[in-house]
Amino acid sequence: DALDTPQQWALKFLLADDSILLDENTPLILACQRYSLMTMFFSLNGEEWEGTPTWATSTDECTWEGITCTETLVDATTLGTLDASSSGRLRQRQLHDETTMERIVTKITLPDKNLAGSIPNEIMAFEHVTDLHLFKNGLTGRLPESIYNLANLQRLYLDDNDLRGFISDDIGKLENLED
């Protein structure tokens, strides 16, 4: 069922269960950040995670266990400046070069938390992430191709999981990745 996916559960959480209001003044990057974290939560068996009671609550995601945010200068596009095109894709109603300072996820540190499942493609929303520590969990499947677009990634720890497949040559795109 197309409505029974982690993405749909995340959207339902944001629209129906979350008391943090996403409105027309919400910066697009913050809406995507919260949606992507919730998609990660539902994709990776979040209800069974060890010691993460702050996730999937109506608190600022920057206070959730394992999440570190940093004040970052980002595009000021808001939800109110978007329109849905006839194809269902979002597009900006007006072009502007405005920026704003926002608290953006820069580290995701969830080692040994009982994460299970495949890393969702929504990981690509964390373009400012420098550290991704998901070691000692039950991650399965392949690395999503979108992980290779995290240009700011410096530290990637995925050991002690059940990931399969090859590491793509696109790992070379991660120029900031440390050995």
Side-chain angles (χ1 to χ4, degrees):
D1 186 356
L3 298 179
D4 196 27
T5 66
Q7 292 78 8
Q8 287 295 321
W9 299 333
L11 191 57
K12 178 193 174 293
F13 172 81
L14 293 177
L15 297 176
D17 303 330
D18 193 0
S19 67
I20 290 188
L21 181 63
L22 299 181
D23 62 20
E24 65 181 25
N25 297 314
T26 302
L28 179 62
I29 194 166
L30 293 184
C32 290
Q33 173 173 284
R34 195 161 178 88
Y35 166 78
S36 297
L37 285 170
M38 288 308 302
T39 299
M40 192 171 137
F41 178 82
F42 289 119
S43 294
L44 300 177
N45 198 31
E47 293 87 3
E48 302 299 321
W49 291 359
E50 298 288 332
T52 54
T54 56
W55 279 71
T57 63
S58 293
T59 58
D60 179 348
E61 64 270 19
C62 293
T63 66
W64 292 353
E65 183 172 337
I67 300 299
T68 302
C69 295
T70 305
E71 286 281 332
T72 305
L73 190 63
V74 295
D75 184 292
T77 301
T78 63
L79 292 177
T81 62
L82 299 175
D83 278 331
S85 69
S86 58
S87 68
R89 291 194 172 271
L90 291 177
R91 66 176 191 271
Q92 226 177 316
R93 210 181 299 153
Q94 60 205 39
L95 295 175
H96 55 78
D97 292 325
E98 296 176 32
T99 56
T100 183
M101 289 296 286
E102 297 292 346
R103 292 180 58 193
I104 302 301
V105 173
T106 53
K107 295 181 182 180
I108 300 174
T109 309
L110 296 168
D112 203 15
K113 295 290 183 192
N114 201 32
L115 279 63
S118 296
I119 300 170
N121 277 322
E122 285 76 8
I123 196 83
M124 70 185 167
F126 305 113
E127 63 184 270
H128 296 278
V129 162
T130 59
D131 292 68
L132 184 59
H133 301 202
L134 303 177
F135 58 92
K136 284 188 167 182
N137 282 294
L139 300 178
T140 58
R142 303 176 143 241
L143 282 181
E145 290 295 316
S146 58
I147 206 164
Y148 301 120
N149 294 322
L150 300 178
N152 293 303
L153 195 61
Q154 297 172 12
R155 286 166 289 282
L156 175 63
Y157 299 110
L158 300 172
D159 49 302
D160 290 328
N161 281 292
D162 293 316
L163 295 167
R164 302 280 184 244
F166 297 97
I167 294 177
S168 168
D169 290 339
D170 288 339
I171 192 88
K173 290 181 183 177
L174 301 176
E175 295 176 359
N176 294 315
L177 198 60
E178 299 172 0
D179 291 336

